[in-house]
Amino acid sequence: GEFTDRTRGWLEDSKDLLACVDEKHRPVEKGVARKPYFMGIDVALVGDGSAVAIGHLDGDKLVLDKVDLIKAGVGKYADKERLEFDDVADWVLDYTKKFYITEGIFDQWAGIPFEQALNKRGITQLKTQQMTKQLTSQMFQNFKDMMWDKRLVLYNRKNCEVDGHEPYIQEMLELQQTVHSKNLITVEAPQTEGKHDDMSDAIVRMFWVASQNVGKGKFLSMSSGGSARTSPLGRGLVFGRAVPEGSPVNRIAPKLPKHSIRGMIGRSRG
């Protein structure tokens, strides 16, 4: 049969998304030293907001640590009618100082000016990506597949029944999809004033990048109670001094003397 364009809710059942919420998991303001994190960015200078999503791998699970949004005319930028690329780049720079961001992507719409603004600040691990309809469709389907497999770890407000959901969760629950063919969809906010999809775009991009790195030894895989020293992957990162391009010098692990390394290994075995 032939498919015609049709629009419906992207998430058929809100319980599927909420089942990925870990009630003990809270948004993180600062990452663990030397622990790799991924970033997804959605850039908008006027009208919509610019959003970032930050997360990490924990075994074969993908953990969302932080979602944030800035917008012209709101908060710190209340006096601005539109953001500048430098405003967004400075904001992203602040997060790269708090989290050890190893890889991330942003939409090609921002293009060369935003990439130049990042590079000027020493941020080279975040790359522009052409968000074709096919790729965006794959990203949203990738998120859904991991959601159904319960491989995502999300956070929500403690008393969401009374206070409502975290803004990013509410946004995702309201997304609509247009089906173009069997394997091609477009996911967007409802065509209603006040509805947006900025945070959702940033989140699916971050999880897309993170999912491409599942199983790669250079990325730490440990629970919140673990440490780089006691994890085999962590030892490889710290002692091997694997430092991604663009990371600030002050985030590089200091080289330890050989006798110190032997002592640490001895203690971990004991």
Side-chain angles (χ1 to χ4, degrees):
E2 295 182 354
F3 288 85
T4 57
D5 284 9
R6 56 189 186 275
T7 301
R8 59 173 180 264
W10 176 56
L11 297 175
E12 293 84 358
D13 192 336
S14 62
K15 293 179 181 178
D16 292 329
L17 182 68
L18 297 178
C20 295
V21 171
D22 182 343
E23 293 183 358
K24 296 180 180 179
H25 183 44
R26 311 309 311 152
V28 178
E29 299 303 326
K30 186 176 182 180
V32 178
R34 296 188 296 274
K35 184 174 186 176
Y37 291 85
F38 305 95
M39 178 180 280
I41 309 174
D42 184 64
V43 181
L45 303 181
V46 63
D48 292 330
S50 287
V52 297
I54 300 171
H56 71 277
L57 297 178
D58 183 3
D60 65 347
K61 290 198 171 184
L62 293 80
V63 183
L64 178 64
D65 291 299
K66 180 70 177 180
V67 182
D68 199 6
L69 182 78
I70 58 173
K71 189 175 181 179
V74 177
K76 179 181 177 181
Y77 308 95
D79 61 336
K80 294 198 170 191
E81 294 184 1
R82 60 173 287 133
L83 297 176
E84 303 296 336
F85 283 121
D86 282 336
D87 294 326
V88 184
D90 284 338
W91 178 56
V92 170
L93 175 63
D94 286 340
Y95 274 113
T96 64
K97 294 176 180 178
K98 299 174 183 176
F99 293 86
Y100 184 46
I101 305 296
T102 60
E103 190 176 346
I105 57 174
F106 55 90
D107 47 312
Q108 195 183 37
W109 173 87
I112 295 176
F114 185 56
E115 193 167 37
Q116 288 176 337
L118 293 176
N119 291 344
K120 187 169 65 175
R121 291 158 176 80
I123 304 172
T124 59
Q125 67 271 45
L126 303 179
K127 305 295 184 182
T128 181
Q129 175 69 58
Q130 184 178 4
M131 298 297 172
T132 63
K133 184 179 290 187
Q134 183 70 40
L135 178 59
T136 302
S137 177
Q138 290 174 354
M139 287 181 175
F140 275 93
Q141 189 58 51
N142 177 67
F143 181 97
K144 246 186 181 180
D145 289 342
M146 292 187 295
M147 176 189 71
W148 283 328
D149 290 340
K150 295 185 179 178
R151 291 178 56 200
L152 303 180
V153 179
L154 309 177
Y155 63 85
N156 201 359
R157 289 174 176 164
K158 287 185 177 180
N159 197 18
C160 58
E161 294 83 1
V162 176
D163 300 331
H165 296 299
E166 282 282 347
Y168 83 87
I169 290 215
Q170 188 60 45
E171 182 181 287
M172 297 193 99
L173 292 175
E174 295 173 350
L175 292 176
Q176 295 182 346
Q177 73 171 16
T178 300
V179 180
H180 304 288
S181 66
K182 183 177 180 180
N183 297 311
L184 187 64
I185 62 172
T186 300
V187 180
E188 298 174 312
Q191 300 300 308
T192 306
E193 187 177 354
K195 302 298 182 181
H196 302 278
D197 49 28
D198 320 298
M199 291 180 286
S200 302
D201 286 342
I203 290 167
V204 299
R205 291 168 188 174
M206 183 277 290
F207 278 132
W208 174 262
V209 173
S211 66
Q212 308 304 304
N213 287 283
V214 172
K216 291 187 179 180
K218 66 178 179 177
F219 295 101
L220 290 172
S221 176
M222 58 188 181
S223 65
S224 58
S227 69
R229 183 165 61 87
T230 57
S231 164
L233 295 180
R235 286 199 296 270
L237 180 70
V238 175
F239 298 148
R241 296 171 57 74
V243 180
E245 179 185 10
S247 300
V249 175
N250 62 0
R251 299 188 71 83
I252 299 175
K255 189 171 182 179
L256 299 175
K258 291 183 179 179
H259 68 273
S260 298
I261 296 176
R262 285 197 293 269
M264 292 175 70
I265 294 175
R267 288 196 297 273
S268 65
R269 288 176 177 169

